[in-house]
Amino acid sequence: MTITQTAPLVADRDVERKVRLPWYKRYINLIGPLVMIIALSVTMAIAQPRFFELANLMIILQDAAIFMVLGMAMTIVITGKGIDLSIGAVAALSAVIMALLIKDFGLGLYSAMAAAVAVGFVCGVTNGLVITQLRVPDLLATLAMDQVYRGIALVLAAGTVLARFPEPLPFLGRGRIMDVFPTAAVVGMIALGIGYVILNYTWLGRYAIAIGGNREAAVLTGININRQKIFHYALMGVCAALAGILLTGRLNAIQATTAQGFALHTIAAVVVGGTLLFGGRGTMFGTLVGVLLLSMVTNALVMLRFQFFWQLIASGVIIIASIGFYSYLQQDGSGDSRSDE
Amino acid sequence: MDESKQPVLQMTGISKSFGGLRALIDVSMDLFPNEILAIAGENGAGKSTLIKVLTGIYRADKGEIRVHGKKLNISTRRDSINAGIAAVYQNLGLVDTLTAPANVFLGLEPVKRILGIPFIDNSTMRSRAVAVLRDRVGIELPDIDAPTRNFSGGQRQAVAIARAVIGADLKVLVMDEPLAALGPEETRNTFNLIRAVRQRGTAIILISHNLDHVFQLADRVLVMRGGKHAGVAEVARSSKRDVLGMIVGSDVDVDAMA
Ligand SMILES: Nc1ncnc2c1ncn2[C@@H]1O[C@H](COP(=O)(O)OP(=O)(O)O)[C@@H](O)[C@H]1O
Ligand SMILES: [Mg+2]
């Protein structure tokens, strides 16, 4: 303990508690997902070495890309003690509107993409307003709004599949840079990089941590909690729209019923990565690891010819195991790392 | 204390209700330069609400606040800091997942603009926080980058105090129950800290319901009861029994309690 008293003020020799964390404890939150990735890799090395072929690894990245974009914003929402269950419907609604504008109204691709982002933004702000002004709890508000947005998408698309879009939309969604690296994964990683900056270097991220970590302290500081929460959901809406655009490009088609289950998958990836489910700490790097882990598991199960329901069971077990692991670390008090690292 | 001096701080006729609950009813107080004024009263008497009005967390329904005779309009924490009034709140108000510098500057983060976008300047914040902790609070934390939940009670309190004293021209420091959760050694250190802050010319409002602490530290004690001003006593000329009588009200037999 290296407290030096330069004035006869506060000091504490009462509590000889070691405060400098050993280096590995700073990263302990990542140990869980990394251990799972290693375990999975060992299993696959034995069971199906083709898992490690470059082509398959790129498929994993391709699958993960959309969830990187969603996971970035969800990390901030959850850090601020929120949750958004409506993102699948927002992605579908934005994409359907973009597709209709292109197909039925002859709008240019870029204008239609901008419109999709605007739709996502409006959906996100609406979520934020319902939560902060009508005081509906985040979980219920976004669950209900999920139905609303899905319903609007269904009305607009009227059961049709809208397909075949001009470049560069398919290139964005399923193209490969130099014929190898998925374009969408580049978009996803840029999104996570921006998320890292938001979380660590902006008021938005700092106040999200404060609101999630100690709401009363945030109020005492004069942080306008409602306004910050609306920002979080607006960012989430914009990212959901981007995910909708990437999805449309990937399938080169869209219908109102796509992107179901996106919310749970994204929340799972974020929490598996070490962001606290009940707010106060988030990590973009952890979200990247969580997204990759879930994509690897899905891919491995497909390769091993497990049926779809096994994938559901596996992701459920991973989520419960991770949350249990982090709860254990919380009690232990050793799981503290920087808000992000 | 010199009665002829002009008060640093005057609060006059402050009232505040939460819905139907009248938390403060026409409360007035004066604070003189270099004074330690204790505010005592039972739980729910309105002590915390009074200092939250003073520091811009709540807006009073009625009443006025003057600093050096000048009327102030305090509606945010920044207003109160600019007026030289800072507070260490009950339960410290730290975000324990953030580092000490992030807590010290929470809500007042220095920024660097790149392309017009404000980015939090974490390194400036860190070195300024280290300086404030070392020079004004007198502590060096072993790991400045650790989240504050890793710190002990005394260290966390030091961070909360650093957060209160970062304002340039500190005239009034308010501490809400600063001794409630501390061990004996930490309590003694905090006593020293409070006296040292006073020596540097800052007047102090100390909220406490521990009369032993009040009588050791304060010059005067303002007693609140049921949201009202219930009396002021000069510590040197009163007994704990008198003050306890004011705290619980005249209809209670203080001798029987003691
Ligand atoms: N934000 C609030 N909303 C509603 N009631 C409050 C709020 N803050 C304080 N009160 C009430 O006001 C009264 C005074 O509280 P407080 O100032 O915290 O008392 P003390 O600090 O003296 O224990 C209590 O009855 C308390 O329940
Ligand atoms: Mg109180």
Side-chain angles (χ1 to χ4, degrees), chain B residues 18 21 23 42-50 58 90:
Chain B
F18 296 106
L21 191 137
E42 291 184 328
N43 268 334
K47 307 179 298 289
S48 295
T49 306
L50 185 67
Y58 301 144
Q90 199 167 1

Side-chain angles (χ1 to χ4, degrees), chain A residues 6 8-14 19-21 26 200-203 206-207 214 217 220-221 280 330 336 338, chain B residues 57 93-94 97 106 109 119-120 122 125 134 137 142-143 145-146 149-152 154 163 185 189 192 196:
Chain A
T6 55
L9 301 177
V10 179
D12 64 322
R13 267 160 271 119
D14 281 0
V19 168
R20 186 174 284 280
L21 296 174
R26 298 188 170 184
N200 293 288
Y201 294 97
T202 70
W203 280 316
R206 187 63 49 91
Y207 294 171
N214 185 348
L220 291 174
T221 303
Q330 281 297 103
D336 298 300
R338 305 294 113 73
Chain B
I57 307 304
L94 297 181
T97 47
L106 189 62
E109 292 85 358
F119 291 100
I120 294 177
N122 284 319
M125 210 168 77
R134 186 189 54 222
V137 186
D143 186 354
D145 296 319
R149 73 167 278 180
N150 287 58
F151 294 151
S152 71
R163 189 176 152 200
E185 170 97 24
N189 284 321
N192 290 337

Side-chain angles (χ1 to χ4, degrees), chain A:
Chain A
M1 188 104 147
T2 54
I3 291 178
T4 51
Q5 264 191 285
T6 55
L9 301 177
V10 179
D12 64 322
R13 267 160 271 119
D14 281 0
V15 189
E16 285 294 321
R17 190 170 157 197
K18 205 164 186 306
V19 168
R20 186 174 284 280
L21 296 174
W23 67 269
Y24 62 88
K25 288 215 164 165
R26 298 188 170 184
Y27 301 99
I28 199 160
N29 293 304
L30 284 178
I31 288 178
L34 286 176
V35 165
M36 285 193 250
I37 287 183
I38 291 167
L40 181 69
S41 301
V42 171
T43 312
M44 290 311 285
I46 297 163
Q48 185 52 277
R50 270 184 30 239
F51 181 79
F52 297 101
E53 283 173 9
L54 185 66
N56 190 51
L57 295 178
M58 290 302 133
I59 289 171
I60 291 172
L61 270 182
Q62 172 83 71
D63 286 340
I66 285 172
F67 294 103
M68 293 180 196
V69 176
L70 293 169
M72 180 272 249
M74 189 66 86
T75 302
I76 288 175
V77 169
I78 292 180
T79 300
K81 231 186 181 86
I83 195 105
D84 193 341
L85 297 179
S86 73
I87 58 175
V90 174
L93 177 61
S94 323
V96 161
I97 288 177
M98 171 182 73
L100 287 173
L101 286 174
I102 295 169
K103 293 281 163 190
D104 292 1
F105 293 85
L107 212 65
L109 176 63
Y110 292 109
S111 314
M113 280 165 63
V117 171
V119 170
F121 179 80
V122 170
C123 292
V125 170
T126 306
N127 286 342
L129 290 173
V130 169
I131 290 162
T132 58
Q133 306 306 310
L134 304 182
R135 304 198 184 184
V136 184
D138 305 50
L139 190 88
L140 287 177
T142 54
L143 188 60
M145 291 311 289
D146 181 72
Q147 309 248 325
V148 173
Y149 301 138
R150 186 70 73 182
I152 298 172
L154 286 163
V155 169
L156 290 177
T160 58
V161 178
L162 298 139
R164 280 179 293 279
F165 295 95
E167 288 292 350
L169 190 57
F171 176 72
L172 263 182
R174 60 179 172 191
R176 297 291 175 93
I177 289 170
M178 319 239 284
D179 284 333
V180 181
F181 201 83
T183 325
V186 175
V187 176
M189 285 173 181
I190 291 172
L192 283 170
I194 292 172
Y196 181 87
V197 172
I198 291 176
L199 193 54
N200 293 288
Y201 294 97
T202 70
W203 280 316
L204 185 69
R206 187 63 49 91
Y207 294 171
I209 298 169
I211 292 167
N214 185 348
R215 190 186 168 98
E216 198 199 337
V219 173
L220 291 174
T221 303
I223 294 171
N224 184 334
I225 293 191
N226 287 350
R227 184 165 62 183
Q228 296 299 319
K229 291 209 75 142
I230 292 169
F231 290 164
H232 301 167
Y233 285 100
L235 178 68
M236 186 74 252
V238 166
C239 285
L242 290 175
I245 293 169
L246 290 178
L247 183 68
T248 309
R250 168 138 179 238
L251 306 170
N252 206 6
I254 191 72
Q255 62 187 108
T257 52
T258 41
Q260 313 240 20
F262 272 30
L264 276 181
H265 187 105
T266 306
I267 293 163
V270 168
V271 173
V272 164
T275 293
L276 291 184
L277 185 54
F278 298 110
R281 190 185 66 217
T283 148
M284 289 295 162
F285 186 68
T287 295
L288 173 65
V289 173
V291 165
L292 291 177
L293 175 66
L294 291 192
S295 291
M296 286 171 72
V297 168
T298 310
N299 181 281
L301 290 172
V302 171
M303 273 201 137
L304 298 177
R305 295 181 196 286
F306 280 95
Q307 280 172 320
F308 178 67
F309 56 81
W310 282 107
Q311 297 171 32
L312 294 179
I313 293 170
S315 54
V317 168
I318 289 174
I319 294 163
I320 300 293
S322 316
I323 294 175
F325 176 69
Y326 294 125
S327 302
Y328 169 76
L329 287 184
Q330 281 297 103
Q331 288 165 13
D332 187 34
S334 63
D336 298 300
S337 67
R338 305 294 113 73
S339 67
D340 200 343
E341 230 165 340

Side-chain angles (χ1 to χ4, degrees), chain B residues 112-189:
Chain B
K112 236 181 349 209
R113 282 175 194 276
I114 300 173
L115 303 173
I117 304 166
F119 291 100
I120 294 177
D121 188 347
N122 284 319
S123 61
T124 300
M125 210 168 77
R126 188 177 189 276
S127 54
R128 277 173 58 191
V130 169
V132 168
L133 281 162
R134 186 189 54 222
D135 302 338
R136 295 174 81 168
V137 186
I139 190 169
E140 250 169 63
L141 297 174
D143 186 354
I144 194 76
D145 296 319
T148 55
R149 73 167 278 180
N150 287 58
F151 294 151
S152 71
Q155 289 169 330
R156 295 177 67 251
Q157 193 186 42
V159 174
I161 291 169
R163 189 176 152 200
V165 303
I166 50 165
D169 178 24
L170 187 66
K171 297 192 185 84
V172 178
L173 176 63
V174 189
M175 302 181 81
D176 193 353
E177 307 274 6
L179 305 160
L182 298 183
E185 170 97 24
E186 290 177 332
T187 301
R188 223 171 310 128
N189 284 321

